[in-house]
Amino acid sequence: MMTKLGKSLVVFLAFASVAFMGFAAVTSLGSTNWKTFLSEKRVDRGTMTYAEKVKAQEDELRQLREEFQAAEAALNDAKATREVDTAAILAREAALVAAVEDLNAKVIAATKEATVTGNKVLEIKNQTSARHEEVVRMQNQLKELRSQIEIAREEDRRLADRVIQAKELLKSTQRRNERLKNN
């Protein structure tokens, strides 16, 4: 079986070799000479040959490379500038962060001061309220004392009148007693 397979592969290989040799011969003999074709053949029925078109494309490619190099130089300049700008932006950011932190510290200090002042104000208000209540209480006591003084004066007048009456009564009784003694 192996011999049959080997023989058939040898025949196939010989046939394929002859076919490839024929293809190579036809290609080398019947192919186009591109150098002459490009120099003589006109592009798109115009006035330009393939060689002229290739030269124009090479010129355009050269011009595009020059533009690319100019753009690359501008890009490198922009990168260098970007690094300087980035450093400046970072420095400005750091300065602004420091300023914000300073302002926050000042706000916190002012808030604490305002809280202390507010507490003092509340304390003074409470003291004022307590003193006002004390004043009202003292005014009420003063009114009560004045009324008691007035009552005491009235009692004093009444007692003074009674003393006068008692003295008069005593005088009258003494006179009567004397009269009785004399009589």
Side-chain angles (χ1 to χ4, degrees), residues 7 17 36 44 52-53 86 92-93 96 98 101 108 115 119 137 139 153 162 183:
K7 288 178 186 177
S17 295
T36 59
D44 296 332
E52 292 170 342
K53 184 157 185 168
T86 301
R92 177 71 174 148
E93 179 186 12
L96 289 175
E101 288 174 354
I108 289 171
T115 303
N119 289 340
R137 186 178 55 80
Q139 283 177 344
R153 284 183 182 157
R162 285 187 109 182
N183 268 337

Side-chain angles (χ1 to χ4, degrees), residues 158-171:
R158 198 173 47 86
L159 288 175
D161 287 345
R162 285 187 109 182
V163 166
I164 291 173
Q165 286 176 354
K167 283 182 180 177
E168 288 299 319
L169 185 62
L170 181 62
K171 281 183 189 177

